[in-house]
Amino acid sequence: MTQHDTGATVRAETLPGMLARAASVALRAEIDLTPKPGLVDRRDTGAHRDMDHGLMHASVDALEIGFHDMAAAGIEQRDPYTLRAELGLLGRESEARMMLATNGVNTHRGAIWGLGLIVAVAAQRPRWRAPVLLQGVAAMAAIDDPAVSPLRCSNGQRAVQRYHVAGARGEACRGFPALAEAGLPMLRRARARGCSERVARLNALLAIMAVLDDTCVLSRAGRAGLVQVQANAAAILDMGGVGTVAGGRALACFERELLGLNASPGGSADLLAATLLIDALEYAAQRPWGRVRCGDTRLKEKGHATLIA
């Protein structure tokens, strides 16, 4: 415990605890962002019949301890192969906790993978810059998990095999290019143009959707559905984004089209959460001690996910 001049007592937080909280905040920010085409948000359940807003938040509550343990492993295990094996074990434990919290619904498997890699790498690197973090993610993702059989096949992996796309692991091995080259630059350009944080984040989501071979969309709507999703997302951005009248109308039409396709861009949603996490870590690295305090008004104005000190 530490005392400030005001007499207020604050709890000291470990680096793994701060990173876990940052990952959870980023996931909750993605869930709450509204309106998202085809995805669960504050308004409705999108193309999902087995998920809702409350269930998604319950899932995040169950995942925070796993993110903490992955960050702690990043500090403790310096050998990359040993660390990769431990991250695989911790990821499977997190999946089990998620399934228990959601009564068997896969709400965040992709997020466990992506954000888990980010917090583990961030725990090892003193300077949180996107290129450095994503380079570390790529190196870690390229290592095979010794406990996973190559015959294990999820819906996403089946889509990878059928449509010959990168999938979650392939994207991570490339350093999440949809995040680095589309989502994060769009988020920051929109803020620089004076867009609200909600609009900036929606535009970042669309930028990711426009370029990502989203296996969630492929699994539900096939190659034709993916091409349609990518084209519509790009078209809205070409109109100036969702902050314009034309872009807002197009977003509403896009929502109806996704529901008609029964398609949900879940992979894009996971990468938006990862984008918000990377953005928050870079912002925190610019501040004293690499931390951001709850209640920082400048933080709220800029819209970065809060890292609790």
Side-chain angles (χ1 to χ4, degrees), residues 26-107:
L27 279 174
R28 292 188 183 102
E30 182 278 316
I31 295 167
D32 290 346
L33 183 62
T34 304
K36 297 192 301 289
L39 293 160
V40 175
D41 56 24
R42 291 183 182 274
R43 178 194 49 171
D44 59 34
T45 63
H48 296 277
R49 297 178 182 176
D50 57 352
M51 303 179 194
D52 59 30
H53 186 259
L55 188 74
M56 298 292 283
H57 273 279
S59 174
V60 177
D61 290 342
L63 295 181
E64 188 162 338
I65 186 173
F67 290 136
H68 173 279
D69 292 347
M70 291 177 197
I75 295 172
E76 296 164 4
Q77 297 292 350
R78 308 308 297 182
D79 176 70
Y81 293 92
T82 303
L83 175 57
R84 178 65 187 89
E86 186 161 348
L87 291 178
L89 173 63
L90 293 171
R92 289 186 291 278
E93 290 177 355
S94 290
E95 285 187 23
R97 280 191 290 268
M98 173 190 73
M99 291 295 191
L100 184 62
T102 63
N103 293 317
V105 178
N106 172 21
T107 45

Side-chain angles (χ1 to χ4, degrees), residues 4 17 24 27 72 105 121 169 233 236 238 240 243 248 263 284 286 297:
H4 288 270
S24 299
L27 279 174
V105 178
V121 170
R169 182 180 181 186
I236 295 172
D238 287 343
Q286 300 168 10
T297 56

Side-chain angles (χ1 to χ4, degrees), residues 151-235:
L151 299 177
R152 182 188 179 197
C153 202
S154 64
N155 287 338
Q157 289 165 326
R158 281 189 284 272
V160 168
Q161 294 167 4
R162 179 176 180 182
Y163 297 105
H164 306 290
V165 295
R169 182 180 181 186
E171 293 292 335
C173 287
R174 296 161 58 196
F176 294 133
L179 182 167
E181 300 168 13
L184 190 59
M186 176 58 72
L187 179 71
R188 291 173 174 174
R189 283 199 302 271
R191 287 173 179 160
R193 293 199 304 265
C195 294
S196 69
E197 186 63 18
R198 182 183 69 86
V199 167
R201 292 178 179 184
L202 284 171
N203 284 344
L205 174 63
L206 290 171
I208 294 168
M209 291 172 64
V211 298
L212 181 67
D213 290 331
D214 195 322
T215 55
C216 294
V217 175
L218 282 167
S219 296
R220 286 172 171 246
R223 174 67 70 180
L226 176 66
V227 170
Q228 183 177 343
V229 166
Q230 291 175 332
N232 288 348

